[in-house]
Amino acid sequence: MSTALLSFASVLVLVHLASSSAVDPTIGFVELPLNASNFHNDKPYDLPVSDRYSFVDGVHKLWVYSTDEPLFKNSTTKPRSEIRIKGYDYSSGVWQFEGYGYVPTGTTGVCIMQVFGATPPRATTLMLRVYNGSLYYYRAGPVVLENIYEKWFRLNVIHDVNASKLQVYINGVLKLEPTGHGGKNHYFKFGVYSQNDSSYYMESRWKCIQVLRKTSTPQIENGQGGAKICKADSEARILSAYI
């Protein structure tokens, strides 16, 4: 096996089979407060936010077209409509993103969630992308979730900065354990960010977004495991007061 393949294998993954039992990845973490000031929209520079984003009944809907302009004028990056979590940038410790995602049929060639920040020339530590109905780790894989279209799924991404390790859970089941990619500053993003071989129209929806941090204080397990209830109505009430 070539050195490149060995490096690729060592950096990437431990993929867990679907038979793994569901757990609640938030046990041992503390949920941090969020309001609208923590949700910053990155969108085509020439359009208002409302042309590529809506928030109705607790659901963030983000969409973009492959012909849209980039984030900044003259930028070489591709079109996006993303929410960047502000106020919780981090450079050490163990952090977690939780959200319930939904991708409609036809959306492909797009990143729907990322952990930003890495050692140059990389820009990200993690990208979760949709290609032809499956959720992938970057482009090369592995597949994190098949048949992603038209269904809600619970996503938990844990980033242990000091250990340079990440964990990706789908519906409470550990699917992926990639290594980190360095970097001195990190934050979470979700939405749609066009990648290679994208569809003309790209969309994802999100609800019950949480940012959590590891604590040394024991947390009480709620026993819900992968079936944890999403409190979208509560989030809607909180954000509506700011939007």
Side-chain angles (χ1 to χ4, degrees), residues 95-152:
W95 293 74
Q96 181 173 174
F97 169 91
E98 178 179 80
Y100 289 72
Y102 179 98
V103 180
T105 299
T107 289
T108 191
V110 65
C111 172
I112 63 169
M113 189 273 167
Q114 60 176 298
V115 178
F116 192 84
T119 299
R122 299 186 68 100
T124 63
T125 284
L126 175 82
M127 268 194 172
L128 296 177
R129 302 185 188 180
V130 176
Y131 289 103
N132 301 317
S134 292
L135 187 65
Y136 286 78
Y137 174 72
Y138 288 95
R139 175 63 187 264
V143 175
V144 180
L145 178 64
E146 296 181 334
N147 303 315
I148 195 174
Y149 290 149
E150 308 295 337
K151 64 181 71 173
W152 286 99

Side-chain angles (χ1 to χ4, degrees), residues 215-227:
T215 174
S216 58
T217 304
Q219 301 295 298
I220 299 173
E221 186 169 354
N222 59 23
Q224 292 173 323

Side-chain angles (χ1 to χ4, degrees), residues 6-159:
L6 283 170
S7 177
F8 180 78
S10 65
V11 167
L12 279 186
V13 298
L14 170 61
V15 180
H16 289 250
L17 300 176
S19 59
S20 300
S21 58
V23 299
D24 185 352
T26 66
I27 299 300
F29 286 77
V30 170
E31 179 184 351
L32 303 173
L34 290 174
N35 59 49
S37 68
N38 301 111
F39 291 75
H40 176 79
N41 288 83
D42 286 343
K43 45 74 179 180
Y45 74 86
D46 61 336
L47 297 175
V49 169
S50 59
D51 277 9
R52 294 293 182 266
Y53 168 79
S54 68
F55 182 74
V56 179
D57 295 331
V59 176
H60 305 269
K61 179 180 175 181
L62 303 104
W63 66 96
V64 76
Y65 295 89
S66 61
T67 53
D68 280 342
E69 296 292 339
L71 179 61
F72 302 109
K73 191 173 183 179
N74 300 322
S75 170
T76 58
T77 61
K78 295 189 176 185
R80 73 187 77 192
S81 176
E82 297 180 293
I83 288 180
R84 182 256 211 250
I85 302 294
K86 298 193 71 174
Y88 293 115
D89 291 18
Y90 60 94
S91 58
S92 62
V94 185
W95 293 74
Q96 181 173 174
F97 169 91
E98 178 179 80
Y100 289 72
Y102 179 98
V103 180
T105 299
T107 289
T108 191
V110 65
C111 172
I112 63 169
M113 189 273 167
Q114 60 176 298
V115 178
F116 192 84
T119 299
R122 299 186 68 100
T124 63
T125 284
L126 175 82
M127 268 194 172
L128 296 177
R129 302 185 188 180
V130 176
Y131 289 103
N132 301 317
S134 292
L135 187 65
Y136 286 78
Y137 174 72
Y138 288 95
R139 175 63 187 264
V143 175
V144 180
L145 178 64
E146 296 181 334
N147 303 315
I148 195 174
Y149 290 149
E150 308 295 337
K151 64 181 71 173
W152 286 99
F153 58 92
R154 179 189 176 196
L155 172 67
N156 294 79
V157 175
I158 298 174
H159 186 193

Side-chain angles (χ1 to χ4, degrees), residues 174-186:
L174 181 59
K175 294 289 188 177
L176 186 71
E177 288 189 279
T179 56
H181 292 296
K184 298 180 179 179
N185 185 66
H186 301 280

Side-chain angles (χ1 to χ4, degrees), residues 211-242:
V211 175
L212 308 99
R213 188 171 186 179
K214 190 83 170 182
T215 174
S216 58
T217 304
Q219 301 295 298
I220 299 173
E221 186 169 354
N222 59 23
Q224 292 173 323
K228 182 179 178 182
I229 297 172
C230 171
K231 300 178 181 179
D233 290 341
S234 296
E235 181 184 288
R237 286 195 297 271
I238 293 170
L239 290 181
S240 293
Y242 291 85

